[in-house]
PDB file of all heavy atoms in Angstrom:
ATOM      1  N   ALA K  32      93.365 -22.515  -7.950  1.00 51.00           N
ATOM      2  CA  ALA K  32      94.200 -22.287  -9.120  1.00 51.00           C
ATOM      3  C   ALA K  32      95.255 -21.222  -8.850  1.00 51.00           C
ATOM      4  O   ALA K  32      96.408 -21.346  -9.264  1.00 51.00           O
ATOM      5  CB  ALA K  32      93.335 -21.874 -10.301  1.00 51.00           C
ATOM      6  N   LEU K  33      94.852 -20.155  -8.154  1.00 52.00           N
ATOM      7  CA  LEU K  33      95.806 -19.108  -7.815  1.00 52.00           C
ATOM      8  C   LEU K  33      96.935 -19.668  -6.974  1.00 52.00           C
ATOM      9  O   LEU K  33      98.111 -19.380  -7.212  1.00 52.00           O
ATOM     10  CB  LEU K  33      95.098 -17.984  -7.059  1.00 52.00           C
ATOM     11  CG  LEU K  33      95.989 -16.844  -6.555  1.00 52.00           C
ATOM     12  CD1 LEU K  33      96.672 -16.145  -7.725  1.00 52.00           C
ATOM     13  CD2 LEU K  33      95.186 -15.856  -5.737  1.00 52.00           C
ATOM     14  N   SER K  34      96.587 -20.490  -5.992  1.00 51.00           N
ATOM     15  CA  SER K  34      97.618 -21.099  -5.150  1.00 51.00           C
ATOM     16  C   SER K  34      98.565 -21.955  -5.973  1.00 51.00           C
ATOM     17  O   SER K  34      99.776 -21.948  -5.776  1.00 51.00           O
ATOM     18  CB  SER K  34      96.969 -21.959  -4.056  1.00 51.00           C
ATOM     19  OG  SER K  34      96.161 -21.180  -3.211  1.00 51.00           O
ATOM     20  N   GLY K  35      97.983 -22.705  -6.915  1.00 50.00           N
ATOM     21  CA  GLY K  35      98.822 -23.544  -7.760  1.00 50.00           C
ATOM     22  C   GLY K  35      99.734 -22.736  -8.648  1.00 50.00           C
ATOM     23  O   GLY K  35     100.908 -23.064  -8.834  1.00 50.00           O
ATOM     24  N   LEU K  36      99.213 -21.649  -9.207  1.00 51.00           N
ATOM     25  CA  LEU K  36     100.037 -20.795 -10.035  1.00 51.00           C
ATOM     26  C   LEU K  36     101.165 -20.175  -9.227  1.00 51.00           C
ATOM     27  O   LEU K  36     102.297 -20.065  -9.686  1.00 51.00           O
ATOM     28  CB  LEU K  36      99.174 -19.698 -10.673  1.00 51.00           C
ATOM     29  CG  LEU K  36      98.183 -20.162 -11.748  1.00 51.00           C
ATOM     30  CD1 LEU K  36      97.229 -19.037 -12.090  1.00 51.00           C
ATOM     31  CD2 LEU K  36      98.900 -20.624 -12.995  1.00 51.00           C
ATOM     32  N   LEU K  37     100.840 -19.763  -8.005  1.00 49.00           N
ATOM     33  CA  LEU K  37     101.877 -19.205  -7.142  1.00 49.00           C
ATOM     34  C   LEU K  37     102.924 -20.253  -6.801  1.00 49.00           C
ATOM     35  O   LEU K  37     104.119 -19.970  -6.774  1.00 49.00           O
ATOM     36  CB  LEU K  37     101.257 -18.656  -5.853  1.00 49.00           C
ATOM     37  CG  LEU K  37     100.568 -17.304  -5.973  1.00 49.00           C
ATOM     38  CD1 LEU K  37      99.810 -16.990  -4.694  1.00 49.00           C
ATOM     39  CD2 LEU K  37     101.550 -16.200  -6.295  1.00 49.00           C
ATOM     40  N   ALA K  38     102.462 -21.477  -6.538  1.00 50.00           N
ATOM     41  CA  ALA K  38     103.410 -22.536  -6.207  1.00 50.00           C
ATOM     42  C   ALA K  38     104.342 -22.807  -7.371  1.00 50.00           C
ATOM     43  O   ALA K  38     105.554 -22.946  -7.203  1.00 50.00           O
ATOM     44  CB  ALA K  38     102.673 -23.816  -5.820  1.00 50.00           C
ATOM     45  N   LEU K  39     103.774 -22.878  -8.572  1.00 49.00           N
ATOM     46  CA  LEU K  39     104.602 -23.106  -9.739  1.00 49.00           C
ATOM     47  C   LEU K  39     105.517 -21.923  -9.975  1.00 49.00           C
ATOM     48  O   LEU K  39     106.695 -22.068 -10.278  1.00 49.00           O
ATOM     49  CB  LEU K  39     103.731 -23.350 -10.970  1.00 49.00           C
ATOM     50  CG  LEU K  39     104.470 -23.649 -12.274  1.00 49.00           C
ATOM     51  CD1 LEU K  39     105.358 -24.870 -12.112  1.00 49.00           C
ATOM     52  CD2 LEU K  39     103.496 -23.849 -13.402  1.00 49.00           C
ATOM     53  N   GLY K  40     104.967 -20.716  -9.797  1.00 49.00           N
ATOM     54  CA  GLY K  40     105.793 -19.537  -9.977  1.00 49.00           C
ATOM     55  C   GLY K  40     106.947 -19.493  -9.006  1.00 49.00           C
ATOM     56  O   GLY K  40     108.057 -19.115  -9.353  1.00 49.00           O
ATOM     57  N   ALA K  41     106.710 -19.919  -7.768  1.00 45.00           N
ATOM     58  CA  ALA K  41     107.778 -19.897  -6.771  1.00 45.00           C
ATOM     59  C   ALA K  41     108.886 -20.849  -7.144  1.00 45.00           C
ATOM     60  O   ALA K  41     110.049 -20.637  -6.814  1.00 45.00           O
ATOM     61  CB  ALA K  41     107.217 -20.273  -5.402  1.00 45.00           C
ATOM     62  N   SER K  44     110.191 -19.543 -11.261  1.00 42.00           N
ATOM     63  CA  SER K  44     110.397 -18.143 -11.550  1.00 42.00           C
ATOM     64  C   SER K  44     111.712 -17.632 -11.014  1.00 42.00           C
ATOM     65  O   SER K  44     111.840 -16.456 -10.715  1.00 42.00           O
ATOM     66  CB  SER K  44     109.255 -17.319 -10.942  1.00 42.00           C
ATOM     67  OG  SER K  44     108.013 -17.854 -11.270  1.00 42.00           O
ATOM     68  N   GLY K  85     105.611 -29.646 -19.082  1.00 94.00           N
ATOM     69  CA  GLY K  85     105.201 -30.737 -18.216  1.00 94.00           C
ATOM     70  C   GLY K  85     103.757 -30.611 -17.795  1.00 94.00           C
ATOM     71  O   GLY K  85     103.017 -29.757 -18.298  1.00 94.00           O
ATOM     72  N   MET K  87     101.007 -30.667 -14.303  1.00 91.00           N
ATOM     73  CA  MET K  87     100.920 -30.482 -12.863  1.00 91.00           C
ATOM     74  C   MET K  87      99.531 -30.871 -12.375  1.00 91.00           C
ATOM     75  O   MET K  87      98.533 -30.716 -13.077  1.00 91.00           O
ATOM     76  CB  MET K  87     101.225 -29.040 -12.478  1.00 91.00           C
ATOM     77  CG  MET K  87     100.349 -28.012 -13.142  1.00 91.00           C
ATOM     78  SD  MET K  87     100.856 -26.336 -12.728  1.00 91.00           S
ATOM     79  CE  MET K  87      99.741 -25.392 -13.771  1.00 91.00           C
ATOM     80  N   MET K  89      97.228 -30.213  -8.852  1.00 88.00           N
ATOM     81  CA  MET K  89      97.161 -29.457  -7.602  1.00 88.00           C
ATOM     82  C   MET K  89      96.048 -30.011  -6.725  1.00 88.00           C
ATOM     83  O   MET K  89      94.928 -30.204  -7.191  1.00 88.00           O
ATOM     84  CB  MET K  89      96.901 -27.981  -7.897  1.00 88.00           C
ATOM     85  CG  MET K  89      98.005 -27.322  -8.704  1.00 88.00           C
ATOM     86  SD  MET K  89      97.560 -25.646  -9.230  1.00 88.00           S
ATOM     87  CE  MET K  89      96.458 -26.000 -10.610  1.00 88.00           C
ATOM     88  N   GLY K  98      96.705 -29.267 -14.917  1.00 90.00           N
ATOM     89  CA  GLY K  98      97.135 -28.283 -15.894  1.00 90.00           C
ATOM     90  C   GLY K  98      98.428 -28.663 -16.573  1.00 90.00           C
ATOM     91  O   GLY K  98      99.135 -29.582 -16.156  1.00 90.00           O
ATOM     92  N   ASP K  99      98.719 -27.949 -17.649  1.00 92.00           N
ATOM     93  CA  ASP K  99      99.969 -28.087 -18.372  1.00 92.00           C
ATOM     94  C   ASP K  99     100.725 -26.770 -18.277  1.00 92.00           C
ATOM     95  O   ASP K  99     100.139 -25.699 -18.080  1.00 92.00           O
ATOM     96  CB  ASP K  99      99.715 -28.395 -19.854  1.00 92.00           C
ATOM     97  CG  ASP K  99      99.063 -29.748 -20.059  1.00 92.00           C
ATOM     98  OD1 ASP K  99      99.333 -30.658 -19.257  1.00 92.00           O
ATOM     99  OD2 ASP K  99      98.276 -29.887 -21.015  1.00 92.00           O
ATOM    100  N   PHE K 100     102.033 -26.843 -18.456  1.00 90.00           N
ATOM    101  CA  PHE K 100     102.837 -25.634 -18.474  1.00 90.00           C
ATOM    102  C   PHE K 100     103.985 -25.810 -19.441  1.00 90.00           C
ATOM    103  O   PHE K 100     104.361 -26.924 -19.809  1.00 90.00           O
ATOM    104  CB  PHE K 100     103.367 -25.294 -17.071  1.00 90.00           C
ATOM    105  CG  PHE K 100     104.298 -26.337 -16.501  1.00 90.00           C
ATOM    106  CD1 PHE K 100     105.666 -26.282 -16.721  1.00 90.00           C
ATOM    107  CD2 PHE K 100     103.795 -27.386 -15.739  1.00 90.00           C
ATOM    108  CE1 PHE K 100     106.518 -27.248 -16.205  1.00 90.00           C
ATOM    109  CE2 PHE K 100     104.647 -28.355 -15.216  1.00 90.00           C
ATOM    110  CZ  PHE K 100     106.009 -28.287 -15.450  1.00 90.00           C
ATOM    111  N   ARG K 101     104.547 -24.685 -19.865  1.00 90.00           N
ATOM    112  CA  ARG K 101     105.719 -24.720 -20.734  1.00 90.00           C
ATOM    113  C   ARG K 101     106.466 -23.395 -20.589  1.00 90.00           C
ATOM    114  O   ARG K 101     105.925 -22.409 -20.075  1.00 90.00           O
ATOM    115  CB  ARG K 101     105.323 -24.933 -22.191  1.00 90.00           C
ATOM    116  CG  ARG K 101     104.620 -23.739 -22.825  1.00 90.00           C
ATOM    117  CD  ARG K 101     104.238 -23.991 -24.263  1.00 90.00           C
ATOM    118  NE  ARG K 101     103.600 -22.826 -24.858  1.00 90.00           N
ATOM    119  CZ  ARG K 101     103.040 -22.822 -26.064  1.00 90.00           C
ATOM    120  NH1 ARG K 101     103.032 -23.932 -26.791  1.00 90.00           N
ATOM    121  NH2 ARG K 101     102.487 -21.723 -26.542  1.00 90.00           N
ATOM    122  N   TYR K 102     107.708 -23.411 -21.034  1.00 87.00           N
ATOM    123  CA  TYR K 102     108.501 -22.200 -21.090  1.00 87.00           C
ATOM    124  C   TYR K 102     108.638 -21.773 -22.543  1.00 87.00           C
ATOM    125  O   TYR K 102     109.007 -22.576 -23.406  1.00 87.00           O
ATOM    126  CB  TYR K 102     109.883 -22.426 -20.483  1.00 87.00           C
ATOM    127  CG  TYR K 102     109.869 -22.418 -18.981  1.00 87.00           C
ATOM    128  CD1 TYR K 102     109.621 -23.583 -18.262  1.00 87.00           C
ATOM    129  CD2 TYR K 102     110.067 -21.238 -18.276  1.00 87.00           C
ATOM    130  CE1 TYR K 102     109.593 -23.578 -16.879  1.00 87.00           C
ATOM    131  CE2 TYR K 102     110.037 -21.221 -16.893  1.00 87.00           C
ATOM    132  CZ  TYR K 102     109.804 -22.392 -16.201  1.00 87.00           C
ATOM    133  OH  TYR K 102     109.755 -22.381 -14.831  1.00 87.00           O
ATOM    134  N   LYS K 106     109.681 -17.415 -20.591  1.00 80.00           N
ATOM    135  CA  LYS K 106     108.479 -17.059 -19.844  1.00 80.00           C
ATOM    136  C   LYS K 106     107.651 -18.305 -19.558  1.00 80.00           C
ATOM    137  O   LYS K 106     107.491 -19.176 -20.424  1.00 80.00           O
ATOM    138  CB  LYS K 106     107.630 -16.049 -20.626  1.00 80.00           C
ATOM    139  CG  LYS K 106     108.282 -14.682 -20.774  1.00 80.00           C
ATOM    140  CD  LYS K 106     107.355 -13.726 -21.496  1.00 80.00           C
ATOM    141  CE  LYS K 106     107.984 -12.351 -21.637  1.00 80.00           C
ATOM    142  NZ  LYS K 106     107.078 -11.406 -22.349  1.00 80.00           N
ATOM    143  N   LEU K 107     107.113 -18.367 -18.344  1.00 81.00           N
ATOM    144  CA  LEU K 107     106.291 -19.491 -17.940  1.00 81.00           C
ATOM    145  C   LEU K 107     104.859 -19.289 -18.410  1.00 81.00           C
ATOM    146  O   LEU K 107     104.246 -18.258 -18.126  1.00 81.00           O
ATOM    147  CB  LEU K 107     106.333 -19.625 -16.423  1.00 81.00           C
ATOM    148  CG  LEU K 107     105.499 -20.734 -15.792  1.00 81.00           C
ATOM    149  CD1 LEU K 107     106.017 -22.095 -16.230  1.00 81.00           C
ATOM    150  CD2 LEU K 107     105.540 -20.613 -14.279  1.00 81.00           C
ATOM    151  N   GLU K 108     104.302 -20.268 -19.136  1.00 86.00           N
ATOM    152  CA  GLU K 108     102.919 -20.225 -19.591  1.00 86.00           C
ATOM    153  C   GLU K 108     102.184 -21.441 -19.041  1.00 86.00           C
ATOM    154  O   GLU K 108     102.765 -22.520 -18.936  1.00 86.00           O
ATOM    155  CB  GLU K 108     102.852 -20.212 -21.115  1.00 86.00           C
ATOM    156  CG  GLU K 108     103.542 -19.008 -21.721  1.00 86.00           C
ATOM    157  CD  GLU K 108     103.498 -18.997 -23.246  1.00 86.00           C
ATOM    158  OE1 GLU K 108     103.303 -20.088 -23.850  1.00 86.00           O
ATOM    159  OE2 GLU K 108     103.658 -17.913 -23.824  1.00 86.00           O
ATOM    160  N   GLN K 109     100.895 -21.249 -18.694  1.00 87.00           N
ATOM    161  CA  GLN K 109     100.148 -22.318 -18.039  1.00 87.00           C
ATOM    162  C   GLN K 109      98.704 -22.362 -18.519  1.00 87.00           C
ATOM    163  O   GLN K 109      98.127 -21.337 -18.882  1.00 87.00           O
ATOM    164  CB  GLN K 109     100.135 -22.096 -16.522  1.00 87.00           C
ATOM    165  CG  GLN K 109     101.518 -22.010 -15.906  1.00 87.00           C
ATOM    166  CD  GLN K 109     101.440 -21.623 -14.456  1.00 87.00           C
ATOM    167  OE1 GLN K 109     100.989 -22.398 -13.622  1.00 87.00           O
ATOM    168  NE2 GLN K 109     101.871 -20.418 -14.127  1.00 87.00           N
ATOM    169  N   ARG K 110      98.142 -23.554 -18.471  1.00 91.00           N
ATOM    170  CA  ARG K 110      96.713 -23.739 -18.720  1.00 91.00           C
ATOM    171  C   ARG K 110      96.209 -24.708 -17.661  1.00 91.00           C
ATOM    172  O   ARG K 110      96.688 -25.841 -17.561  1.00 91.00           O
ATOM    173  CB  ARG K 110      96.468 -24.296 -20.121  1.00 91.00           C
ATOM    174  CG  ARG K 110      94.969 -24.415 -20.448  1.00 91.00           C
ATOM    175  CD  ARG K 110      94.753 -24.749 -21.910  1.00 91.00           C
ATOM    176  NE  ARG K 110      93.344 -24.621 -22.269  1.00 91.00           N
ATOM    177  CZ  ARG K 110      92.899 -24.134 -23.407  1.00 91.00           C
ATOM    178  NH1 ARG K 110      93.762 -23.708 -24.322  1.00 91.00           N
ATOM    179  NH2 ARG K 110      91.607 -24.051 -23.660  1.00 91.00           N
ATOM    180  N   THR K 111      95.227 -24.277 -16.865  1.00 88.00           N
ATOM    181  CA  THR K 111      94.765 -25.041 -15.715  1.00 88.00           C
ATOM    182  C   THR K 111      93.255 -25.169 -15.725  1.00 88.00           C
ATOM    183  O   THR K 111      92.548 -24.205 -16.034  1.00 88.00           O
ATOM    184  CB  THR K 111      95.197 -24.347 -14.405  1.00 88.00           C
ATOM    185  OG1 THR K 111      96.587 -24.047 -14.458  1.00 88.00           O
ATOM    186  CG2 THR K 111      94.909 -25.219 -13.205  1.00 88.00           C
ATOM    187  N   LYS K 112      92.751 -26.350 -15.371  1.00 89.00           N
ATOM    188  CA  LYS K 112      91.315 -26.582 -15.248  1.00 89.00           C
ATOM    189  C   LYS K 112      91.003 -26.917 -13.797  1.00 89.00           C
ATOM    190  O   LYS K 112      91.639 -27.779 -13.196  1.00 89.00           O
ATOM    191  CB  LYS K 112      90.870 -27.719 -16.170  1.00 89.00           C
ATOM    192  CG  LYS K 112      91.016 -27.390 -17.642  1.00 89.00           C
ATOM    193  CD  LYS K 112      90.504 -28.518 -18.525  1.00 89.00           C
ATOM    194  CE  LYS K 112      90.625 -28.153 -19.999  1.00 89.00           C
ATOM    195  NZ  LYS K 112      90.111 -29.234 -20.884  1.00 89.00           N
ATOM    196  N   GLU K 121      88.444 -22.528 -16.116  1.00 91.00           N
ATOM    197  CA  GLU K 121      89.685 -22.712 -16.860  1.00 91.00           C
ATOM    198  C   GLU K 121      90.490 -21.426 -16.788  1.00 91.00           C
ATOM    199  O   GLU K 121      89.938 -20.323 -16.897  1.00 91.00           O
ATOM    200  CB  GLU K 121      89.380 -23.080 -18.310  1.00 91.00           C
ATOM    201  CG  GLU K 121      90.604 -23.540 -19.081  1.00 91.00           C
ATOM    202  CD  GLU K 121      90.240 -24.210 -20.402  1.00 91.00           C
ATOM    203  OE1 GLU K 121      89.027 -24.406 -20.659  1.00 91.00           O
ATOM    204  OE2 GLU K 121      91.164 -24.541 -21.162  1.00 91.00           O
ATOM    205  N   ILE K 122      91.791 -21.562 -16.603  1.00 88.00           N
ATOM    206  CA  ILE K 122      92.677 -20.419 -16.458  1.00 88.00           C
ATOM    207  C   ILE K 122      93.853 -20.590 -17.395  1.00 88.00           C
ATOM    208  O   ILE K 122      94.529 -21.616 -17.379  1.00 88.00           O
ATOM    209  CB  ILE K 122      93.178 -20.278 -15.009  1.00 88.00           C
ATOM    210  CG1 ILE K 122      91.992 -20.138 -14.058  1.00 88.00           C
ATOM    211  CG2 ILE K 122      94.117 -19.084 -14.866  1.00 88.00           C
ATOM    212  CD1 ILE K 122      92.370 -20.127 -12.596  1.00 88.00           C
ATOM    213  N   ILE K 123      94.091 -19.574 -18.238  1.00 90.00           N
ATOM    214  CA  ILE K 123      95.242 -19.555 -19.124  1.00 90.00           C
ATOM    215  C   ILE K 123      96.123 -18.375 -18.746  1.00 90.00           C
ATOM    216  O   ILE K 123      95.651 -17.242 -18.671  1.00 90.00           O
ATOM    217  CB  ILE K 123      94.828 -19.442 -20.604  1.00 90.00           C
ATOM    218  CG1 ILE K 123      94.036 -20.679 -21.044  1.00 90.00           C
ATOM    219  CG2 ILE K 123      96.048 -19.248 -21.497  1.00 90.00           C
ATOM    220  CD1 ILE K 123      93.506 -20.586 -22.468  1.00 90.00           C
ATOM    221  N   ALA K 124      97.380 -18.638 -18.475  1.00 85.00           N
ATOM    222  CA  ALA K 124      98.360 -17.583 -18.226  1.00 85.00           C
ATOM    223  C   ALA K 124      99.344 -17.619 -19.371  1.00 85.00           C
ATOM    224  O   ALA K 124     100.120 -18.567 -19.515  1.00 85.00           O
ATOM    225  CB  ALA K 124      99.064 -17.807 -16.890  1.00 85.00           C
ATOM    226  N   VAL K 125      99.308 -16.603 -20.234  1.00 86.00           N
ATOM    227  CA  VAL K 125     100.155 -16.580 -21.420  1.00 86.00           C
ATOM    228  C   VAL K 125     100.531 -15.131 -21.715  1.00 86.00           C
ATOM    229  O   VAL K 125      99.727 -14.216 -21.532  1.00 86.00           O
ATOM    230  CB  VAL K 125      99.438 -17.237 -22.627  1.00 86.00           C
ATOM    231  CG1 VAL K 125      98.185 -16.484 -23.001  1.00 86.00           C
ATOM    232  CG2 VAL K 125     100.375 -17.370 -23.821  1.00 86.00           C
ATOM    233  N   GLY K 126     101.765 -14.922 -22.152  1.00 80.00           N
ATOM    234  CA  GLY K 126     102.212 -13.556 -22.388  1.00 80.00           C
ATOM    235  C   GLY K 126     102.200 -12.758 -21.096  1.00 80.00           C
ATOM    236  O   GLY K 126     102.718 -13.204 -20.081  1.00 80.00           O
ATOM    237  N   PHE K 128      99.246 -11.689 -19.689  1.00 84.00           N
ATOM    238  CA  PHE K 128      97.865 -11.661 -19.236  1.00 84.00           C
ATOM    239  C   PHE K 128      97.420 -13.015 -18.703  1.00 84.00           C
ATOM    240  O   PHE K 128      98.029 -14.050 -18.974  1.00 84.00           O
ATOM    241  CB  PHE K 128      96.936 -11.228 -20.384  1.00 84.00           C
ATOM    242  CG  PHE K 128      97.212  -9.849 -20.893  1.00 84.00           C
ATOM    243  CD1 PHE K 128      97.987  -9.672 -22.033  1.00 84.00           C
ATOM    244  CD2 PHE K 128      96.727  -8.732 -20.240  1.00 84.00           C
ATOM    245  CE1 PHE K 128      98.263  -8.398 -22.510  1.00 84.00           C
ATOM    246  CE2 PHE K 128      96.995  -7.464 -20.703  1.00 84.00           C
ATOM    247  CZ  PHE K 128      97.767  -7.292 -21.845  1.00 84.00           C
ATOM    248  N   VAL K 129      96.314 -12.974 -17.948  1.00 86.00           N
ATOM    249  CA  VAL K 129      95.650 -14.177 -17.473  1.00 86.00           C
ATOM    250  C   VAL K 129      94.222 -14.152 -18.019  1.00 86.00           C
ATOM    251  O   VAL K 129      93.552 -13.111 -17.976  1.00 86.00           O
ATOM    252  CB  VAL K 129      95.625 -14.243 -15.935  1.00 86.00           C
ATOM    253  CG1 VAL K 129      94.789 -15.423 -15.456  1.00 86.00           C
ATOM    254  CG2 VAL K 129      97.043 -14.345 -15.386  1.00 86.00           C
ATOM    255  N   TYR K 130      93.759 -15.280 -18.540  1.00 91.00           N
ATOM    256  CA  TYR K 130      92.405 -15.402 -19.072  1.00 91.00           C
ATOM    257  C   TYR K 130      91.627 -16.401 -18.225  1.00 91.00           C
ATOM    258  O   TYR K 130      92.121 -17.485 -17.924  1.00 91.00           O
ATOM    259  CB  TYR K 130      92.440 -15.878 -20.524  1.00 91.00           C
ATOM    260  CG  TYR K 130      93.197 -14.952 -21.456  1.00 91.00           C
ATOM    261  CD1 TYR K 130      94.579 -15.073 -21.592  1.00 91.00           C
ATOM    262  CD2 TYR K 130      92.540 -13.973 -22.185  1.00 91.00           C
ATOM    263  CE1 TYR K 130      95.282 -14.224 -22.445  1.00 91.00           C
ATOM    264  CE2 TYR K 130      93.234 -13.119 -23.035  1.00 91.00           C
ATOM    265  CZ  TYR K 130      94.610 -13.253 -23.155  1.00 91.00           C
ATOM    266  OH  TYR K 130      95.306 -12.407 -23.993  1.00 91.00           O
ATOM    267  N   ILE K 159     100.799 -13.009 -10.149  1.00 56.00           N
ATOM    268  CA  ILE K 159     101.075 -14.061 -11.118  1.00 56.00           C
ATOM    269  C   ILE K 159     101.704 -13.458 -12.364  1.00 56.00           C
ATOM    270  O   ILE K 159     102.737 -13.901 -12.852  1.00 56.00           O
ATOM    271  CB  ILE K 159      99.768 -14.783 -11.507  1.00 56.00           C
ATOM    272  CG1 ILE K 159      99.107 -15.388 -10.285  1.00 56.00           C
ATOM    273  CG2 ILE K 159     100.026 -15.839 -12.569  1.00 56.00           C
ATOM    274  CD1 ILE K 159      99.935 -16.420  -9.595  1.00 56.00           C
ATOM    275  N   GLY K 163     105.516 -14.115 -12.014  1.00 45.00           N
ATOM    276  CA  GLY K 163     105.785 -15.453 -12.482  1.00 45.00           C
ATOM    277  C   GLY K 163     105.740 -15.624 -13.977  1.00 45.00           C
ATOM    278  O   GLY K 163     106.598 -16.253 -14.566  1.00 45.00           O
ATOM    279  N   VAL K 164     104.740 -15.036 -14.635  1.00 38.00           N
ATOM    280  CA  VAL K 164     104.539 -15.294 -16.048  1.00 38.00           C
ATOM    281  C   VAL K 164     105.414 -14.402 -16.915  1.00 38.00           C
ATOM    282  O   VAL K 164     106.111 -14.867 -17.802  1.00 38.00           O
ATOM    283  CB  VAL K 164     103.053 -15.104 -16.426  1.00 38.00           C
ATOM    284  CG1 VAL K 164     102.856 -15.296 -17.911  1.00 38.00           C
ATOM    285  CG2 VAL K 164     102.195 -16.073 -15.643  1.00 38.00           C
ATOM    286  N   VAL K 240     101.387 -29.477  -5.143  1.00 88.00           N
ATOM    287  CA  VAL K 240     101.440 -29.548  -6.598  1.00 88.00           C
ATOM    288  C   VAL K 240     102.432 -30.634  -6.986  1.00 88.00           C
ATOM    289  O   VAL K 240     103.586 -30.599  -6.553  1.00 88.00           O
ATOM    290  CB  VAL K 240     101.877 -28.201  -7.210  1.00 88.00           C
ATOM    291  CG1 VAL K 240     101.804 -28.267  -8.733  1.00 88.00           C
ATOM    292  CG2 VAL K 240     101.019 -27.057  -6.678  1.00 88.00           C
ATOM    293  N   TYR K 242     104.320 -32.815 -10.136  1.00 93.00           N
ATOM    294  CA  TYR K 242     104.761 -32.578 -11.505  1.00 93.00           C
ATOM    295  C   TYR K 242     105.113 -33.890 -12.185  1.00 93.00           C
ATOM    296  O   TYR K 242     105.654 -34.803 -11.561  1.00 93.00           O
ATOM    297  CB  TYR K 242     105.982 -31.651 -11.514  1.00 93.00           C
ATOM    298  CG  TYR K 242     105.701 -30.317 -10.876  1.00 93.00           C
ATOM    299  CD1 TYR K 242     105.855 -30.127  -9.502  1.00 93.00           C
ATOM    300  CD2 TYR K 242     105.250 -29.242 -11.630  1.00 93.00           C
ATOM    301  CE1 TYR K 242     105.576 -28.913  -8.915  1.00 93.00           C
ATOM    302  CE2 TYR K 242     104.969 -28.018 -11.054  1.00 93.00           C
ATOM    303  CZ  TYR K 242     105.137 -27.860  -9.689  1.00 93.00           C
ATOM    304  OH  TYR K 242     104.849 -26.652  -9.100  1.00 93.00           O
ATOM    305  N   VAL K 249     103.001 -29.527 -25.382  1.00 92.00           N
ATOM    306  CA  VAL K 249     101.971 -28.733 -24.716  1.00 92.00           C
ATOM    307  C   VAL K 249     101.538 -27.601 -25.648  1.00 92.00           C
ATOM    308  O   VAL K 249     102.381 -26.889 -26.205  1.00 92.00           O
ATOM    309  CB  VAL K 249     102.500 -28.139 -23.394  1.00 92.00           C
ATOM    310  CG1 VAL K 249     101.513 -27.138 -22.820  1.00 92.00           C
ATOM    311  CG2 VAL K 249     102.765 -29.255 -22.397  1.00 92.00           C
ATOM    312  N   GLU K 250     100.234 -27.438 -25.822  1.00 92.00           N
ATOM    313  CA  GLU K 250      99.690 -26.342 -26.617  1.00 92.00           C
ATOM    314  C   GLU K 250      98.996 -25.355 -25.689  1.00 92.00           C
ATOM    315  O   GLU K 250      98.027 -25.705 -25.013  1.00 92.00           O
ATOM    316  CB  GLU K 250      98.704 -26.869 -27.667  1.00 92.00           C
ATOM    317  CG  GLU K 250      99.315 -27.820 -28.698  1.00 92.00           C
ATOM    318  CD  GLU K 250     100.315 -27.127 -29.611  1.00 92.00           C
ATOM    319  OE1 GLU K 250     100.247 -25.884 -29.731  1.00 92.00           O
ATOM    320  OE2 GLU K 250     101.168 -27.823 -30.175  1.00 92.00           O
ATOM    321  N   ILE K 251      99.489 -24.147 -25.620  1.00 92.00           N
ATOM    322  CA  ILE K 251      98.895 -23.104 -24.785  1.00 92.00           C
ATOM    323  C   ILE K 251      98.815 -21.833 -25.613  1.00 92.00           C
ATOM    324  O   ILE K 251      99.822 -21.384 -26.169  1.00 92.00           O
ATOM    325  CB  ILE K 251      99.720 -22.843 -23.509  1.00 92.00           C
ATOM    326  CG1 ILE K 251      99.851 -24.123 -22.688  1.00 92.00           C
ATOM    327  CG2 ILE K 251      99.085 -21.744 -22.672  1.00 92.00           C
ATOM    328  CD1 ILE K 251     100.754 -23.985 -21.478  1.00 92.00           C
ATOM    329  N   ALA K 252      97.623 -21.251 -25.716  1.00 94.00           N
ATOM    330  CA  ALA K 252      97.436 -20.024 -26.486  1.00 94.00           C
ATOM    331  C   ALA K 252      96.296 -19.226 -25.893  1.00 94.00           C
ATOM    332  O   ALA K 252      95.418 -19.775 -25.204  1.00 94.00           O
ATOM    333  CB  ALA K 252      97.151 -20.354 -27.951  1.00 94.00           C
TER     334      ALA K 252
END
Side-chain angles (χ1 to χ4, degrees):
L33 176 61
S34 298
L36 290 169
L37 282 171
L39 182 58
S44 311
M87 57 184 175
M89 298 172 282
D99 294 328
F100 63 89
R101 70 180 181 187
Y102 282 88
K106 293 183 179 180
L107 179 65
E108 299 179 339
Q109 303 173 70
R110 184 171 190 141
T111 310
K112 294 183 179 181
E121 191 166 354
I122 302 174
I123 296 176
V125 62
F128 298 98
V129 174
Y130 300 86
I159 301 298
V164 177
V240 185
Y242 301 87
V249 171
E250 298 293 339
I251 302 175

